[in-house]
């Protein structure tokens, strides 16, 4: 791959990278500025270097300095704090550099050089998502360091199922009052997720909007852009009857179904700081905030090796709604629930909420975060490659003729939750 293209210093916030980020300091995530902390234009400054005199003067006008008039800060928007955050995240931004983007802070938008990233005839693929009410657990438990990984995962896993390599990520962080320490923790997670996915954090916006959220609440959304060579796009015409379906283990609940999770926890009366009944050594809050697994590198390796016909990211709607999204009209997925066992968190949720097995499978991933269709004669090779990339792989079933039946059929569904569960 060509060397990273030195983009013009006009690459909007770029938060940058990752796990490597011990520099993500508590003042790291930039998000900074005002009413819509866009950073760099008057009261709306994008995550860019703060050199705009007008922006600074907004919070230091003569009238406010003399105490004879209101300032923006009096209304709840602290521009100076936002600007300080922007400065603090510069090291973070620089660390997310990759071929095609140098992740430097700059002007109004981010630039990506597809040629520098090695693409010849690329198609761009986009995805956007959030973390849902999993954020409520982060807010109530005070654990903010992992939801950023979730934010990245929910977007980039949706790109890789089309064969695309994630290239760029941007985030939107909204709050009534900017807490620099909390924002920094969130950004550390975003950066870590970007590193896992191999994409650059090239921009973002922090909206400080007094009166729009609870005092310490925040919400966020993520946006990812990926690319795939035209000939490599994964489409449903690659799938054939007889293909074998492999499942890649999830890390837990991931980021879907948390309204039901929280309702079940409410029924138990347990607090977020209580020991997790299904995860020894962890609090309930920490166990339920286990971040979503990112499958990008393993699935891209499988695709580049010519071993995959289709990928389905198991998110909201579970097996019933996500697998059909990659099936042609004449094919169905036949799965065997005896082929894998759901992690203890799912058994606990099922028992505490008395949730039916079918409902579990249409709400949660039930232990399988990605389903992979591979040619029947390449199964062993595919499993070996996936395991070499750290995946736990199950042989779930196969592609069969659809006929007049449902597009997804799961035999022995109850076995997913009962085998090895001590029930």
């Amino acid at each position: 791959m060509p060397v990273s293209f030195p983009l013009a210093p006009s690459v909007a916030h770029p938060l940058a990278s990752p796990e490597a980020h011990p520099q993500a300091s508590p003042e790291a995530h930039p998000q900074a500025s005002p009413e819509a902390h866009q950073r760099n234009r008057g009261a709306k400054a994008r995550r860019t270097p703060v050199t705009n005199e007008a922006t600074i003067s907004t919070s230091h006008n003569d009238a406010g300095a003399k105490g004879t008039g209101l300032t923006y800060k009096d209304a709840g928007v602290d521009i100076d704090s936002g600007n300080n955050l922007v400065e603090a995240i510069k090291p973070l931004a620089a660390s997310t550099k990759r071929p095609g983007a140098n992740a430097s802070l700059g002007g109004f938008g981010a630039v990506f050089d597809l040629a520098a990233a090695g693409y010849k005839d690329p198609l761009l693929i986009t995805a956007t998502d959030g973390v849902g009410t999993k954020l409520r657990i982060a807010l109530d438990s005070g654990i903010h360091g992992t939801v950023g990984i979730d934010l990245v995962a929910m977007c980039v896993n949706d790109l890789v199922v089309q064969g695309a390599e994630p290239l760029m990520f941007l985030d939107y962080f909204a709050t009534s009052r900017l807490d620099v320490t909390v924002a920094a923790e969130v950004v550390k997670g975003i950066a870590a997720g970007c590193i896992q996915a191999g994409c650059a954090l090239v921009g973002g916006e922090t909206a400080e909007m007094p009166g729009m959220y609870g005092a310490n609440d925040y919400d966020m959304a993520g946006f990812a852009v990926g690319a795939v060579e035209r000939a490599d796009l994964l489409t449903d015409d690659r799938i054939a009857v007889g293909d074998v379906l492999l499942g890649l283990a999830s890390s837990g609940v991931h980021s879907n179904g948390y309204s039901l999770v929280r309702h079940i926890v409410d029924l138990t009366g347990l607090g977020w700081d209580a020991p997790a009944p299904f995860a020894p050594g962890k609090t309930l809050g920490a166990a339920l905030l286990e971040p979503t697994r990112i499958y990008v590198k393993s699935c891209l390796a499988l695709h580049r090796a010519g071993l995959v016909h289709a990928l389905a990211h198991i998110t909201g709607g579970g097996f019933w709604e996500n697998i059909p999204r990659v099936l042609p009209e004449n094919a169905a997925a036949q799965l065997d629930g005896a082929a894998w066992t759901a992690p203890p968190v799912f058994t606990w949720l099922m028992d505490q909420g008395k949730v039916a097995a079918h409902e579990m499978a249409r709400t949660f991933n039930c232990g399988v975060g990605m389903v992979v269709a591979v040619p029947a004669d390449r199964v062993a090779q595919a499993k070996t490659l996936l395991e070499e990339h750290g995946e736990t792989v199950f042989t779930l079933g196969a592609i069969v003729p659809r006929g007049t039946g449902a597009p997804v059929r799961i035999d022995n569904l109850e076995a997913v939750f009962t085998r090895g569960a001590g029930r």
Side-chain angles (χ1 to χ4, degrees):
M1 285 248 231
V3 199
S4 174
F5 179 66
L7 299 181
S10 58
V11 187
H13 131 207
L15 291 184
S17 143
E19 236 129 55
H21 284 120
Q23 327 133 247
S25 114
E27 303 192 22
H29 177 194
Q31 319 236 279
S33 143
E35 203 115 80
H37 276 154
Q38 295 174 79
R39 269 148 294 282
N40 210 42
R41 294 164 63 212
K44 293 181 134 198
R46 260 176 204 118
R47 284 181 204 164
T48 54
V50 182
T51 56
N52 188 326
E53 299 275 347
T55 302
I56 297 173
S57 66
T58 304
S59 59
H60 293 290
N61 58 68
D62 293 337
K66 296 174 182 176
T68 57
L70 292 174
T71 65
Y72 212 177
K73 188 172 182 178
D74 292 330
V77 179
D78 189 343
I79 295 175
D80 293 331
S81 176
N83 288 343
N84 291 338
L85 255 180
V86 175
E87 289 299 313
I89 61 148
K90 284 183 177 178
L92 250 180
S95 65
T96 44
K97 177 156 93 167
R98 58 146 291 150
N102 69 1
S104 64
L105 296 176
F108 293 98
V111 178
F112 195 95
D113 187 335
L114 288 165
Y119 287 91
K120 307 301 181 189
D121 182 27
L123 296 173
L124 293 179
I125 311 293
T126 62
T128 184
D129 213 330
V131 181
T133 60
K134 188 174 187 176
L135 280 182
R136 186 73 260 164
I137 301 178
L139 290 162
D140 291 346
S141 66
I143 302 171
H144 305 282
T146 57
V147 288
I149 298 175
D150 290 305
L151 188 67
V152 176
M154 295 304 291
C155 295
V156 297
N157 285 341
D158 279 355
L159 294 181
V160 76
V161 298
Q162 296 174 85
E165 173 194 15
L167 303 176
M168 300 183 284
F169 189 83
L170 300 95
D171 70 278
Y172 174 80
F173 182 97
T175 183
S176 278
R177 182 183 63 81
L178 180 62
D179 183 317
V180 173
T181 301
V182 169
E185 283 300 301
V186 172
V187 168
K188 285 181 184 179
I190 293 173
C194 285
I195 285 304
Q196 289 183 38
C199 60
L201 185 46
V202 298
E205 171 155 320
T206 300
E208 187 172 33
M209 301 185 289
M212 291 295 290
Y213 298 90
N216 298 309
D217 289 356
Y218 61 82
D219 196 7
M220 56 185 185
F223 314 89
V225 178
V228 58
E229 295 290 0
R230 190 179 305 272
D232 296 332
L233 182 69
L234 287 177
T235 56
D236 64 13
D237 59 1
R238 293 176 181 241
I239 287 188
V241 170
D243 281 353
V244 172
L245 296 174
L246 303 179
L248 307 187
S250 67
S251 56
V253 184
H254 284 182
S255 299
N256 295 102
Y258 273 85
S259 293
L260 179 55
V261 169
R262 290 168 46 245
H263 185 52
I264 291 170
V265 171
D266 284 346
L267 293 176
T268 69
L270 293 173
W272 300 121
D273 58 352
F278 52 85
K282 290 187 176 182
T283 64
L284 182 59
L288 289 173
L289 286 170
E290 182 69 30
T292 305
R293 186 167 181 81
I294 293 175
Y295 299 99
V296 169
K297 291 182 179 178
S298 59
C299 289
L300 280 180
L302 195 70
H303 184 31
R304 288 166 179 164
L307 298 174
V308 60
H309 281 174
L311 295 161
H313 184 201
I314 307 304
T315 57
F319 296 105
W320 309 119
E321 294 187 21
N322 288 290
I323 296 176
R325 295 165 74 175
V326 300
L327 295 176
E329 290 295 324
N330 64 343
Q334 181 72 56
L335 311 183
D336 183 358
W340 82 99
T341 302
V345 60
F346 295 106
T347 301
W348 183 78
L349 290 169
M350 186 180 193
D351 287 346
Q352 297 301 312
K354 297 179 172 53
V355 184
H358 186 278
E359 185 68 13
M360 290 291 294
R362 73 189 292 254
T363 305
F364 302 115
N365 66 64
C366 300
V368 175
M370 186 73 75
V371 173
V372 186
V374 301
D377 61 348
R378 309 292 295 279
V379 173
Q381 188 179 351
K383 290 184 75 171
T384 297
L385 190 154
L386 289 166
E387 288 166 353
E388 287 174 350
H389 280 78
E391 304 293 355
T392 298
V393 186
F394 311 109
T395 302
L396 303 178
I399 297 295
V400 298
R402 182 175 302 191
T404 57
V408 178
R409 304 124 188 216
I410 307 178
D411 295 332
N412 305 308
L413 181 56
E414 291 281 351
V416 173
F417 308 99
T418 56
R419 293 185 310 113
R423 293 196 288 150

